[in-house]
Amino acid sequence: MNIHEYQAKQIFAKYGVATPRGIIANTPEQAARNAEELGGDVWVVKAQIHAGGRGLGGGVKLARSKDEVKQLANEILGMNLVTHQTGPEGKLVQKVYIEEGADIVDELYLGIVLDRAKEMPVIMASTEGGMEIEKVAEESPDKIIKIAVDPAIGFQGFHGRELVFGLGITDKKEQSKFIKLASALYTLYLENDAEMIEINPLIKTASGDFLALDGKMSFDDSALGRHQDIEDMRDISEEDADEREASQYGLSYVSLDGEIGCMVNGAGLAMGTMDTINYMGGTPANFLDVGGSANAQTVAKGFEIILKNPRVKAIFVNIFGGIVRCDRIANGILEATKLTDVNVPVIVRLDGTNAGEAAEILKAANIPNIIVADDLGDGAAKAVAAAKQA
């Protein structure tokens, strides 16, 4: 689950991570009143969407008068903001964050993500604050400091010293402030079951203080039951409607840009299926994991969600029958075609318990648009061929 910048900063405040003062607004008039309440003579008007790169897309602008705050808020609210993370379809801006100006001396990057290979949270820092971290990683990987923190010992002084030395922070007071901030961010990460925290930029002011000028956070959906306060921050208008509907039926669905719909059980097999489709010259239209208990209802709902995408020209069903027998899955697929109008070729590869019986059931049904595959490679090739023929 993702949250907005202003919500991330509310959480930052609970852990002592300093940010500029700001107030959320839904109308240009409210934005102007917020500027009045904040005081000062410089404000930043920030679009609030679940995506990075807002500044480059025209969603973050500086205002030097309350009238300009109102004017910029009017321009940004209701705009379809396109960034490198939204895709070409962009996102509708429904609220803006009015924030006081800051005295910026330097810009840094600070973030925490889970490194699944190391099985530990990794703190990343860089002197290239304000830049896209992906671009920095590609062009100047030596400028990114990565420090894995073993949860068994937690954030220690040596972690902090490695960070400040790597960033070239030499002033003792500034070193102490930065280490305290990094420690607080790590505590926040663990205590809230976060998946990712990113501050870009983290600024240093003329007084040597560090402020989170931006904030981006995502959380483990499976842990939200422990964090009702974070669950309450969910903005469903920012989430893909099909992904949200799929989750209500226990399906893990992510929309992609290709032409071949994928229905698979197990995240690892789903990733392997998409890779094989790409290898065979096709493009997957989605990631869809139906879990370990595929039945007629879940398969039918999967078909329904996949076929909402007008680009889909074929569907590849790749199921491994371990706990669930393949013959039951085959009957479930046939029943699902009665529940949902499946108007594209469906290539089915079933392996595991009773796979032979399942193949016979599908062939005996004699449904023209259901094509039985022998293995993963054969199924992917047939799916790509069917999509191209369509």
Side-chain angles (χ1 to χ4, degrees):
M1 188 191 95
N2 297 316
I3 59 175
H4 289 292
E5 172 198 356
Y6 77 95
Q7 295 169 320
K9 289 180 174 178
Q10 290 171 3
I11 299 174
F12 286 167
K14 296 178 183 178
Y15 287 82
V17 177
T19 67
R21 294 180 305 129
I23 309 173
I24 198 69
N26 297 304
T27 67
E29 293 74 20
Q30 188 178 9
R33 290 196 298 271
N34 290 353
E36 177 73 31
E37 182 177 341
L38 289 169
D41 52 12
V42 176
W43 304 268
V44 186
V45 183
K46 297 182 170 184
Q48 296 297 287
I49 61 170
H50 287 177
R54 293 169 297 158
L56 293 175
V60 178
K61 295 185 177 181
L62 190 69
R64 298 188 180 277
S65 72
K66 299 177 190 66
D67 287 341
E68 192 175 5
V69 168
K70 183 177 179 180
Q71 175 192 335
L72 293 175
N74 187 57
E75 293 174 3
I76 294 174
L77 284 166
M79 76 181 293
N80 194 51
L81 182 54
V82 178
T83 79
H84 67 284
Q85 291 186 8
T86 65
E89 66 277 7
K91 280 184 174 289
L92 177 67
V93 180
Q94 302 179 69
K95 56 189 77 174
V96 290
Y97 191 50
I98 310 304
E99 193 169 68
E100 64 183 353
D103 184 9
I104 303 173
V105 171
D106 197 8
E107 296 187 0
L108 305 171
Y109 173 93
L110 182 63
I112 305 179
V113 295
L114 177 65
D115 187 318
R116 297 186 184 277
K118 289 185 171 63
E119 300 181 350
M120 298 180 193
V122 170
I123 300 177
M124 298 195 304
S126 176
T127 56
E128 304 301 295
M131 299 283 289
E132 294 174 20
I133 196 65
E134 298 86 357
K135 187 175 181 181
V136 176
E138 181 180 349
E139 298 179 357
S140 308
D142 55 306
K143 293 185 178 180
I144 300 179
I145 305 159
K146 297 180 181 179
I147 300 172
V149 181
D150 188 339
I153 64 169
F155 186 91
Q156 300 294 323
F158 67 87
H159 294 126
R161 288 190 290 276
E162 190 173 348
L163 283 170
V164 295
F165 294 155
L167 292 170
I169 301 173
T170 56
D171 183 272
K172 296 294 184 183
K173 289 184 178 179
E174 291 179 5
Q175 287 179 348
S176 177
K177 290 176 181 177
F178 189 92
I179 292 172
K180 183 179 179 181
L181 183 153
S183 177
L185 209 65
Y186 177 80
T187 301
L188 187 166
Y189 182 89
L190 283 191
E191 289 186 355
N192 293 278
D193 292 298
E195 288 188 337
M196 182 275 295
I197 301 176
E198 183 178 70
I199 302 175
N200 188 25
L202 172 71
I203 64 165
K204 185 175 80 171
T205 66
S207 60
D209 294 319
F210 294 96
L211 298 179
L213 203 62
D214 194 7
K216 190 175 179 183
M217 296 180 69
S218 63
F219 301 89
D220 181 355
D221 287 357
S222 301
L224 290 176
R226 296 199 290 256
H227 307 284
Q228 187 58 51
D229 56 333
I230 292 173
E231 172 80 40
D232 291 341
M233 292 181 172
R234 186 165 220 146
D235 184 351
I236 60 173
S237 68
E238 288 286 323
E239 299 177 9
D240 183 277
D242 293 336
E243 292 178 14
R244 190 166 65 250
E245 181 183 3
S247 68
Q248 294 172 351
Y249 290 86
L251 307 174
S252 297
Y253 174 85
V254 178
S255 178
L256 301 172
D257 297 328
E259 298 180 332
I260 300 172
C262 302
M263 186 184 300
V264 189
N265 65 333
L269 184 58
M271 297 299 289
T273 301
M274 293 191 296
D275 286 345
T276 307
I277 288 172
N278 273 306
Y279 181 77
M280 294 292 180
T283 52
N286 64 273
F287 169 102
L288 176 59
D289 176 9
V290 297
S293 56
N295 54 44
Q297 286 69 38
T298 56
V299 172
K301 179 53 67 173
F303 283 149
E304 180 184 325
I305 292 172
I306 288 172
L307 290 170
K308 285 183 179 181
N309 182 348
R311 293 189 299 270
V312 170
K313 296 179 179 177
I315 298 175
F316 183 19
V317 179
N318 185 24
I319 303 287
F320 176 75
I323 300 173
V324 182
R325 289 174 8 209
C326 288
D327 56 326
R328 288 188 177 179
I329 297 171
N331 284 317
I333 291 171
L334 295 178
E335 187 64 28
T337 60
K338 299 175 184 176
L339 299 172
T340 302
D341 180 20
V342 182
N343 53 9
V344 299
V346 178
I347 295 80
V348 182
R349 180 258 185 166
L350 300 175
D351 199 1
T353 308
N354 291 353
E357 292 91 328
E360 291 304 318
I361 289 170
L362 293 173
K363 289 175 182 176
N366 198 28
I367 299 176
N369 65 335
I370 292 184
I371 303 167
V372 179
D374 298 326
D375 53 39
L376 174 57
D378 180 52
K382 286 177 176 175
V384 171
K388 288 181 178 178
Q389 186 175 4

